[in-house]
Amino acid sequence: MRILVVASTLPAGHRLKVALGHEGLMVDTVALDDDPGAVAAQTGPYDAILIEAAGLSHAVIAGIRAVARQRLGVPVVVLVASATPESESEALDAGADDVLMAPMAITTLVVRLRALQRRMLGHLSAWITIGNTTLDQAKLALTVDGRDVRITRREFDVLEMLFLRRGSLVTKADFLQRLYGSDEGPDSRTLDVFICKVRRKLAAAGAAEFIRTAWGRGYMAEEPPLSAIAAARSRFADGHLRRPNRLTSPAKAWAEAA
């Protein structure tokens, strides 16, 4: 999950960046008076924007409006030490999706950010299932037919992007920006190899293939047919596991299972 922290002061922004980073989030920071809406549009995509301030001042409300005007399609959360009912209403009317009171446990803040992002993308709970594979945002875990699958944190982050945007293409640029931010990361060919390894791990766990490749563009998670799920379960039960080949789409594998 990649977050833009809009901070009222440099030390406050740094503290949030470090704390959220320890929770596995990719964090960029910008000052409240640096036109956060324009910065978010130029350096995104982001999964959420967190505005930090001591209180809901006119500058904070203006910052919320600046972000909202960009129509970035991400939740905007305000974290403040104090607020009146009137100022909270003004912040929500200006475009904030939630107003939270500081101090707040960083784990609780992360849960709130994930929940808002999830709901904005159309998911009601932390458990998202595609085929016979379930991603658990609450435990940062993955299961296939209830069996735990050992995955790395980076593998979880990649699968989370696909699960949350099921049916939509996630471009290679979006993957790399969300995983590495503005830091220099690997090239798109490394991402292809990484996805291949994830596919093999899922296939070995008995998961029906659900990751579709759009060659040269990115990847998409799609619901596999019931026949493909049944075939994957049968192979796992019989111990006849196979590695998925590099398909443009899971369609060939699904056709074979029919």
Side-chain angles (χ1 to χ4, degrees):
M1 190 175 191
R2 188 182 180 208
I3 306 297
L4 178 65
V5 171
V6 182
S8 57
T9 65
L10 185 61
H14 179 71
R15 285 194 299 270
L16 275 173
K17 181 173 183 175
V18 171
L20 292 170
H22 285 161
E23 295 297 318
L25 275 60
M26 173 66 63
V27 182
D28 294 332
T29 59
V30 62
L32 184 60
D33 56 359
D34 282 344
D35 195 352
V39 172
Q42 292 168 5
T43 61
Y46 291 100
D47 297 307
I49 296 173
L50 177 64
I51 299 177
E52 175 280 328
L56 288 172
S57 63
H58 292 300
V60 174
I61 301 300
I64 297 171
R65 287 179 177 147
V67 173
R69 279 196 298 269
Q70 296 292 336
R71 299 184 180 181
L72 299 169
V74 298
V76 178
V77 179
V78 183
L79 180 66
V80 293
S82 63
T84 65
E86 293 77 15
S87 63
E88 185 173 351
S89 296
E90 188 178 357
L92 294 171
D93 288 339
D97 294 286
D98 202 358
V99 177
L100 306 177
M101 294 295 120
M104 170 177 286
I106 200 67
T107 53
T108 302
L109 177 58
V110 171
V111 168
R112 295 259 191 164
L113 291 170
R114 287 190 183 278
L116 281 168
Q117 179 207 20
R118 185 170 62 240
R119 288 168 188 162
M120 185 163 285
L121 292 171
H123 303 282
L124 298 179
S125 77
W127 300 275
I128 308 170
T129 298
I130 301 178
N132 60 333
T133 304
T134 298
L135 181 130
D136 183 346
Q137 280 193 306
K139 296 181 179 179
L140 303 182
L142 192 77
T143 59
V144 174
D145 285 327
R147 301 181 300 271
D148 290 333
V149 181
R150 295 186 64 179
I151 57 173
T152 66
R153 180 56 187 264
R154 188 70 78 194
E155 288 169 343
F156 179 89
D157 291 341
V158 167
L159 288 168
E160 183 183 42
M161 278 185 258
L162 290 169
F163 271 75
L164 286 172
R165 296 162 182 82
R166 177 174 52 197
S168 298
L169 177 70
V170 183
T171 68
K172 293 183 179 183
D174 282 351
F175 269 115
L176 295 174
Q177 282 287 343
R178 285 187 164 95
L179 290 173
Y180 300 100
S182 56
D183 296 334
E184 184 176 350
D187 59 26
S188 61
R189 290 171 296 180
T190 303
L191 176 63
D192 293 335
V193 174
F194 186 87
I195 291 289
C196 183
K197 290 180 179 179
V198 170
R199 279 176 164 151
R200 290 176 178 175
K201 185 174 287 191
L202 288 168
E209 171 73 5
F210 61 84
I211 301 176
R212 172 184 173 184
T213 301
W215 289 110
R217 299 174 62 200
Y219 298 91
M220 178 189 301
E222 291 185 331
E223 185 68 25
L226 293 177
S227 57
I229 299 172
R233 287 170 172 163
S234 178
R235 288 194 298 272
F236 183 84
D238 294 340
H240 298 151
L241 300 177
R242 63 183 182 183
R243 293 179 177 179
N245 49 20
R246 295 187 177 185
L247 302 171
T248 302
S249 163
K252 183 179 179 181
W254 295 344
E256 292 174 352

